[in-house]
């Protein structure tokens, strides 16, 4: 159970408000407003899956049909007890059941792959019969239709006839010269559901009829002429019949609705949950969130986590907790970001346990805690006359009474508000107790004693927020493994305090404390250098791995093409042999026929012709299968071959380029797309030295490019013009290097850079096709370009 006080301190209610804004209907907004974390791992994982599925559907630009959904639960309850519903009530019900049908069809579409949400949507009803009945009875204007029943149609025809007769009579009166002087205005109006005309007060005696009303000034009387009294009576009777028939029709429709009320209520709950799920998906997209890996062992590994309520350029933090250490003591200057770091840890954990994605990098791991405690900010209570220290202690006492090994504890300014020596001692004792109970703890402090405490305890670590002394500004970077410095002397010096005063102040600091401060400075410097070297090494490893994968892929493609070339050669040879054999058989048949010919001259001519054709076939086979005459070479092949030289391969009847120096009488060459090893005696240098040198230079350049160029180009931070210039040069180098696939990294941002790069790539002659990256390749923050001729 997570206390409301924790939710308030970590501002979880503001995250709820963001979620409410993303919901489409009042029912979804109500569920969003009730959002609360769970401590059940299975439940949280299902919630996270819902959010991920909704996010992927929205990313695919599918229009989710959530429109038309109304909260009709009150109408369902009225129908269930037999209370009469009005036509506008039925319009709202009709819109809602049609929304249910649209959602059910949406999730039945093959293009939607969301197992958890599909299982939820499977319970939606279609209510075709009820929808058809509502459409038949109720018009779009919210009235009962004339043809809702034969009796209603008949009554309304009668009403229209009577109304027309009344208007005709009254029109003749108000346009009559005889009665014109009596009228205040020549108009027909209604009072008390009866047609009347406005008559001047002074002519009331001259105009016969029933007075129904008068104006506020008393100058005008609204009189029903005697000529239309009976007609008005007929109209009133027809209206009463219409009312009774309408009530009968609405009661019948209400009864139909009552029979479906329970099923509609069930569908309404499902639609609310679906709206809630898509609100979570929209919020994930808005904050560029990711689904965290959920740990049941209390481990946290926040990667580039950002506080979801901060706006602008937020510096992300990396927070490991629960793996190498269970307690983290964060030190550093005021306004450096210590409290924000605590709130980021707590709020991201709450969001994850509530089924929300978190604004962090893929691979982030968060634990599911049974309880989360925090003491953040000034909790002083004037009504209770508590000091800041007393208020903090009261809260910490409550925490210590409930904490266990499945708790996360966040303490801000531990031990503050009292004597520094006693406050530091209390802080160490509290941390020691929490550590012994197995809780995962992060605490901020200014006390140097707590830095030493972290160094002398197993599974306790120092951390600090970085501060730039040159600019007198914090960088907001969390540095795990290093305690923070106050930087008071450096800041004072930068602000202009006299050097003599600073020197005198240093004399009041013990040598041990100065050595510790110097040690911290050296450690911070080493830490920054090591982090930079580690990041560079990581980039180099990633680049090497990508180059290795690319080379392996290219080698596989080369082997495949080599097999295809050899297969084509074998097929061509087989075709030649088959054709020659057929023609040779035909020549032999002609020889046999000539041998039996009666005419000696004709027989000799036929035999000679057959022999001539056989010689031609023999020569054709020799020409097709034999290469050019091998030149005289000493030593079994050309000597002193070097990489880059052009040679002629007799067995392949092609020119190629030497790739490596000969070894054991064999040499590796590149012939077109084929890379193969052949005997040295099968080669001869190309006689055209100038052309060979040219090809050698080109080959060496391509080889150098292939070795140096990466298959990635990072454009983040570039303007559009800078990016397009970089892409043009990179594609030239990539084509020369023989790369088949490149990754253009432009990020997501506003989409302007992505659109400009995509438009340019589609027009470049070296690009066969483009696509956005897969999830593991960077998603739509990366454009993958296939290179080569169409």
């Amino acid at each position: 159970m997570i206390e409301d006080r924790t939710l308030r301190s970590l501002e979880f209610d503001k995250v709820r408000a963001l979620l409410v804004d993303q919901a489409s209907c009042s029912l979804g907004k109500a569920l969003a407003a009730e959002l609360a974390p769970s401590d059940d791992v299975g439940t949280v994982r299902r919630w996270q899956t819902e959010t991920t599925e909704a996010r992927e559907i929205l990313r695919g630009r599918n229009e989710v049909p959530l429109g038309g959904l109304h909260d009709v639960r009150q109408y369902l309850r009225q129908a269930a007890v037999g209370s009469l519903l009005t036509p506008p009530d039925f319009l709202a019900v009709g819109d809602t059941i049609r929304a249910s049908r649209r959602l059910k069809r949406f999730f039945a579409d093959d293009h939607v792959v969301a197992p958890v949400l599909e299982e939820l949507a499977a319970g939606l009803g279609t209510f075709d019969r009820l929808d058809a009945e509502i459409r038949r009875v109720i018009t779009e204007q919210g009235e009962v239709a004339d043809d809702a029943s034969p009796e209603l149609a008949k009554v309304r025809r009668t009403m229209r006839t009577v109304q027309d007769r009344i208007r005709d009579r009254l029109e003749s009166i108000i346009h009559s010269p005889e009665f014109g002087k009596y009228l205040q205005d020549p108009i027909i109006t209604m009072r008390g559901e009866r047609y009347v005309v406005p008559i001047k007060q002074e002519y009331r005696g001259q105009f016969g009829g029933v007075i129904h009303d008068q104006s506020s000034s008393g100058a005008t009387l609204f009189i029903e002429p005697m000529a239309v009294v009976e007609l008005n009576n007929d109209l009133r009777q027809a209206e009463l019949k219409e009312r009774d028939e309408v009530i009968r029709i609405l009661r019948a429709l209400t009864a139909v609705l009552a029979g479906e009320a329970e099923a509609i209520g069930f569908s309404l709950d499902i639609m609310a949950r679906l709206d809630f799920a898509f609100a979570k998906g929209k919020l994930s997209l808005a904050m560029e969130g990711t689904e965290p890996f959920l740990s049941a062992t209390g481990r946290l590994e926040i990667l580039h986590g950002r506080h979801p309520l901060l706006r602008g350029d937020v510096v992300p933090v990396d927070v490991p907790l629960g793996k190498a250490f269970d307690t983290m003591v964060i030190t550093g200057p005021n306004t450096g970001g210590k409290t924000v770091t605590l709130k980021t840890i707590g709020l991201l954990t709450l969001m994850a346990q509530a089924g929300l994605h978190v604004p962090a990098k893929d691979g982030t791991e968060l634990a599911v805690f049974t309880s989360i405690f925090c003491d953040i900010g000034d909790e002083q209570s004037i009504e209770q006359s508590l000091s800041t220290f007393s208020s903090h202690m009261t809260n910490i006492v409550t925490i210590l009474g409930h904490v266990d090994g499945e708790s996360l504890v966040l303490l801000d300014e531990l031990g503050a508000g009292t004597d520094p020596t006693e406050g530091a001692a209390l802080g160490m004792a509290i941390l020691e107790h929490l550590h012994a109970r197995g809780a995962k703890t992060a605490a901020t402090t200014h006390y140097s004693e707590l830095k030493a405490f972290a160094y002398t305890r197993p599974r306790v670590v120092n951390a600090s927020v970085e501060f730039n002394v040159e600019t007198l500004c914090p960088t907001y970077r969390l540095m795990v493994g290093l305690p923070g410095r106050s930087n008071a002397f450096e800041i004072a010096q930068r602000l202009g305090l006299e050097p003599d005063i600073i020197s005198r102040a240093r004399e009041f600091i013990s040598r041990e404390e100065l050595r510790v401060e110097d040690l911290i400075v050296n450690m911070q410097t080493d830490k920054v250098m090591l982090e930079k070297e580690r990041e560079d090494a990581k980039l180099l490893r990633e680049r090497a791995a990508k180059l290795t994968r690319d080379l392996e892929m290219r080698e596989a493609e080369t082997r495949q093409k080599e097999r295809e070339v050899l297969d084509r050669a074998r097929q061509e040879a087989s075709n030649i042999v088959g054709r020659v054999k057929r023609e040779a058989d035909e020549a032999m048949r002609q020889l046999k026929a000539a041998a039996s010919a009666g005419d000696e001259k004709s027989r000799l001519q036929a035999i000679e012709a057959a022999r001539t054709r056989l010689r031609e076939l023999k020569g054709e086979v020799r020409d097709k299968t034999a290469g050019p005459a091998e030149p005289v070479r000493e030593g079994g092949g050309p000597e002193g071959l070097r990489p880059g030289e052009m040679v002629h391969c007799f067995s392949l009847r092609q020119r190629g380029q030497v790739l490596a120096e000969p070894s054991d009488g064999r040499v590796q060459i590149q012939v077109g797309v084929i890379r193969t090893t052949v005997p040295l005696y099968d080669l001869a240098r190309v006689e055209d030295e100038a052309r060979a040198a040219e090809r050698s230079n080109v080959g060496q350049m391509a080889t150098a490019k292939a070795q140096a160029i990466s298959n990635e180009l990072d454009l983040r931070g570039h303007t559009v013009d800078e990016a397009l210039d970089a892409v043009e040069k990179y594609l030239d180098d990539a084509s020369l290097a023989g790369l088949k696939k490149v990754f253009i990294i432009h990020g997501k941002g506003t989409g302007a850079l992505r659109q400009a790069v995509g438009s340019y790539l589609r027009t470049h002659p070296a690009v066969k096709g483009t696509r956005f990256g897969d999830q593991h390749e960077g998603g739509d923050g990366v454009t993958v370009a296939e290179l080569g001729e169409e």
Side-chain angles (χ1 to χ4, degrees):
M1 181 66 179
I2 299 173
E3 298 178 346
D4 290 338
R5 186 178 184 283
T6 297
L7 300 180
R8 289 195 305 272
S9 296
L10 295 175
E11 300 179 288
F12 185 73
D13 57 324
K14 294 183 180 179
V15 174
R16 270 196 297 232
L18 294 176
L19 184 63
V20 169
D21 291 341
Q22 299 292 345
S24 299
C25 71
S26 60
L27 291 170
K29 291 180 183 295
L31 289 180
E34 297 170 358
L35 179 72
S38 170
D39 58 6
D40 180 72
V41 177
T43 300
V44 174
R45 284 177 177 159
R46 179 177 177 84
W47 289 352
Q48 285 287 346
T49 302
E50 286 181 358
T51 305
T52 299
E53 291 182 354
R55 185 183 194 274
E56 291 308 306
I57 290 173
L58 293 167
R59 279 193 62 195
R61 299 179 179 83
N62 287 317
E63 293 295 330
V64 183
L66 287 168
L69 180 58
H70 303 282
D71 185 359
V72 296
R73 290 175 295 186
Q74 178 183 349
Y75 306 146
L76 300 179
R77 289 192 293 268
Q78 290 177 344
V81 298
S83 180
L84 188 66
L85 269 64
T86 66
D89 298 342
F90 281 109
L91 282 183
V93 172
D95 288 343
T96 301
I97 60 179
R98 285 189 283 277
S100 175
R101 183 164 59 247
R102 286 194 299 270
L103 274 172
K104 190 176 183 70
R105 290 174 179 171
F106 175 81
F107 280 100
D109 193 325
D110 292 338
H111 297 294
V112 177
V113 181
V116 173
L117 295 181
E118 287 178 32
E119 181 183 356
L120 184 61
L124 291 170
T126 55
F127 311 105
D128 294 332
R129 174 174 169 270
L130 175 60
D131 183 35
E133 190 64 11
I134 291 176
R135 288 177 182 272
R136 185 186 71 81
V137 172
I138 309 298
T139 67
E140 293 181 356
Q141 292 72 36
E143 299 176 350
V144 176
D146 289 354
D147 55 357
S149 73
E151 181 62 22
L152 182 62
K154 178 181 177 182
V155 170
R156 286 186 173 172
R157 283 195 301 271
T158 300
M159 288 173 59
R160 285 191 289 270
T161 300
V162 175
Q163 286 172 337
D164 290 342
R165 292 176 61 191
I166 292 173
R167 287 186 174 277
D168 290 343
R169 293 279 181 91
L170 293 179
E171 288 285 343
S172 65
I173 289 174
I174 63 176
H175 293 102
S176 168
E178 178 184 356
F179 298 106
K181 62 181 179 179
Y182 302 152
L183 298 174
Q184 192 71 266
D185 292 297
I187 60 172
I188 302 170
T189 185
M190 296 192 73
R191 289 293 185 276
E193 299 183 355
R194 298 180 76 88
Y195 286 93
V196 296
V197 293
I199 303 298
K200 297 175 183 178
Q201 171 70 29
E202 58 267 27
Y203 295 111
R204 60 180 297 177
Q206 285 81 5
F207 192 89
V210 181
I211 300 174
H212 287 279
D213 197 3
Q214 70 177 8
S215 65
S216 57
S217 64
T220 303
L221 298 176
F222 295 95
I223 298 177
E224 178 184 3
M226 293 303 298
V228 297
V229 169
E230 285 301 320
L231 289 175
N232 269 329
N233 289 340
D234 294 342
L235 179 60
R236 183 58 182 155
Q237 288 180 349
E239 288 174 345
L240 293 174
K241 289 182 180 179
E242 180 205 29
R243 184 195 66 184
D244 293 341
E245 182 61 16
V246 166
I247 291 175
R248 187 195 67 78
I249 292 170
L250 291 178
R251 287 197 183 280
L253 188 57
T254 300
V256 176
L257 175 59
E260 300 276 14
E262 184 177 354
I264 294 174
F266 183 71
S267 291
L268 200 62
D269 291 339
I270 293 175
M271 287 187 283
R273 290 175 60 189
L274 288 172
D275 184 33
F276 172 63
F278 282 107
K280 294 191 295 179
K282 292 176 186 176
L283 184 61
S284 175
L285 289 172
M287 63 176 53
E288 297 183 4
T290 58
E291 178 182 353
F293 175 77
L294 296 174
S295 166
T297 58
R299 291 199 309 267
L300 288 85
E301 183 76 26
I302 298 176
L303 305 177
H304 284 61
R306 293 168 281 110
H307 194 287
L309 303 179
L310 294 180
R311 295 291 179 264
D313 189 11
V314 180
V315 178
V317 294
D318 294 334
V319 182
L321 186 61
K323 292 186 177 180
F325 51 88
D326 300 316
T327 301
M328 180 168 60
V329 180
I330 307 174
T331 51
N334 288 327
T335 71
K338 300 190 301 297
T339 302
V340 171
T341 298
L342 284 187
K343 287 189 173 183
T344 301
I345 296 171
L347 190 51
L348 265 57
T349 301
L350 289 176
M351 290 174 63
Q353 292 186 213
L356 299 178
H357 284 179
V358 296
K361 189 178 178 181
D362 282 334
T364 290
E365 179 179 1
L366 291 169
V368 177
F369 294 100
T370 58
S371 55
I372 300 175
F373 301 103
C374 67
D375 181 62
I376 297 177
D378 187 359
E379 298 293 337
Q380 181 174 350
S381 172
I382 296 176
E383 293 182 359
Q384 298 177 4
S385 300
L386 294 177
S387 68
T388 301
F389 176 75
S390 298
S391 178
H392 283 304
M393 281 300 104
T394 300
N395 190 22
I396 290 174
V397 167
T398 302
I399 293 173
L400 296 179
H402 296 85
V403 72
D404 58 22
E406 296 182 353
S407 300
L408 173 65
V409 182
L410 306 171
L411 304 175
D412 192 25
E413 298 296 347
L414 181 60
T418 187
D419 177 79
T421 302
E422 294 181 353
L426 275 173
M428 287 187 286
I430 290 169
L431 289 179
E432 190 173 63
H433 178 82
L434 293 171
H435 193 68
R437 297 292 296 271
K440 305 300 180 291
T441 305
T444 69
T445 183
H446 282 289
Y447 295 141
S448 298
E449 291 84 350
L450 291 179
K451 302 176 188 177
F453 171 83
Y455 273 124
T456 58
R457 296 295 191 280
R459 295 190 65 80
V460 182
V461 70
N462 273 305
S464 60
V465 286
E466 191 178 44
F467 189 86
N468 190 324
V469 180
E470 296 298 323
T471 62
L472 301 182
C473 293
T475 67
Y476 302 106
R477 291 181 62 236
L478 181 68
M479 303 177 67
V480 177
L482 289 178
R485 300 178 63 215
S486 64
N487 299 295
F489 294 153
E490 289 81 0
I491 294 173
Q493 185 175 3
R494 293 278 298 173
L495 293 176
L497 190 63
E498 294 181 8
D500 292 343
I501 297 176
I502 294 175
S503 298
R504 179 58 179 160
R506 290 185 184 276
E507 294 177 5
F508 289 110
I509 303 296
S510 67
R511 292 184 178 180
E512 289 75 10
E513 290 176 326
L514 288 174
R515 281 198 295 268
V516 169
E517 288 293 311
D518 292 338
L519 178 61
I520 291 174
V521 172
N522 293 334
M523 291 175 63
Q524 288 176 338
T525 302
D526 293 343
K527 175 82 170 179
V528 172
M529 292 179 60
L530 287 173
E531 285 185 352
K532 186 178 185 304
E533 290 176 0
R534 183 175 61 183
E535 190 66 25
D536 292 343
K538 180 181 177 182
L539 292 175
L540 288 174
R541 286 197 304 271
E542 291 176 353
R543 183 175 298 176
K546 289 176 181 178
L547 285 174
T548 300
R549 290 194 299 269
D550 187 55
L551 289 173
E552 290 175 349
M553 183 174 63
R554 292 174 62 187
E555 184 177 358
E557 291 176 354
T558 300
R559 287 197 297 269
Q560 177 63 28
K561 290 180 179 179
E562 182 178 358
R563 286 193 294 269
E564 292 175 358
V565 170
L566 291 175
D567 289 343
R568 286 197 298 269
R570 293 190 188 99
Q571 184 63 40
E572 183 180 355
S574 176
N575 293 338
I576 292 173
V577 170
R579 182 174 59 81
V580 170
K581 183 177 183 301
R582 288 192 299 272
E583 294 192 15
D585 291 342
E586 176 63 21
M588 292 299 296
R589 187 189 64 78
Q590 293 177 359
L591 277 175
K592 292 178 181 179
S596 59
D599 184 1
E600 181 66 20
K601 182 178 180 181
S602 298
R603 185 167 60 250
L604 292 175
Q605 289 176 345
I607 291 172
E608 184 59 29
R611 287 175 175 171
T612 300
R613 182 57 185 154
L614 286 174
R615 285 194 296 271
E616 290 174 353
L617 290 175
K618 181 179 179 181
E620 183 177 349
V621 171
R622 183 174 60 252
D623 293 340
K624 291 288 186 179
T625 58
E630 184 175 345
V632 178
R633 304 184 301 279
E634 297 180 2
E639 296 180 353
L641 283 179
R642 293 287 183 268
E645 287 193 72
M646 298 300 296
V647 294
H648 182 90
C649 180
F650 295 100
S651 60
L652 296 178
R653 294 188 294 152
Q654 294 286 335
R655 287 185 177 183
Q657 182 184 36
V658 177
L659 299 179
E661 293 185 0
S663 176
D664 297 330
R666 301 179 66 81
V667 62
Q668 189 180 39
I669 64 172
Q670 179 88 30
V671 179
V673 296
I674 299 176
R675 179 179 296 181
T676 185
T677 301
V678 297
L680 193 59
Y681 61 76
D682 194 28
L683 301 176
R685 278 191 174 89
V686 174
E687 296 299 328
D688 187 353
E689 295 295 336
R691 188 173 181 183
E694 178 184 352
R695 293 193 179 186
S696 174
N697 292 335
V698 173
Q700 291 173 356
M701 185 183 303
T703 302
K705 286 290 185 183
Q707 293 174 346
I709 192 168
S710 167
N711 65 345
E712 287 186 355
L713 175 62
D714 194 340
L715 301 175
R716 290 174 294 185
H718 289 60
T719 65
V720 171
D721 292 337
E722 292 171 348
L724 295 182
D725 290 341
V727 171
E728 180 179 13
K729 181 179 183 302
Y730 175 72
L731 290 179
D732 291 341
D733 293 343
S735 298
L736 185 59
L739 297 184
K740 299 299 182 183
K741 180 190 298 182
V742 295
F743 299 80
I744 311 297
I745 304 172
H746 43 64
K748 300 177 182 178
T750 63
L753 185 57
R754 174 179 57 196
Q755 185 177 0
V757 169
S759 299
Y760 180 80
L761 291 175
R762 285 192 291 273
T763 62
H764 198 284
V767 178
K768 288 198 299 185
T770 64
R771 63 176 176 83
F772 286 135
D774 295 332
Q775 187 67 25
H776 67 279
E777 294 173 330
D780 53 8
V782 175
T783 296
V784 182
E786 302 286 342
L787 303 184
E789 297 181 354
E790 291 286 352

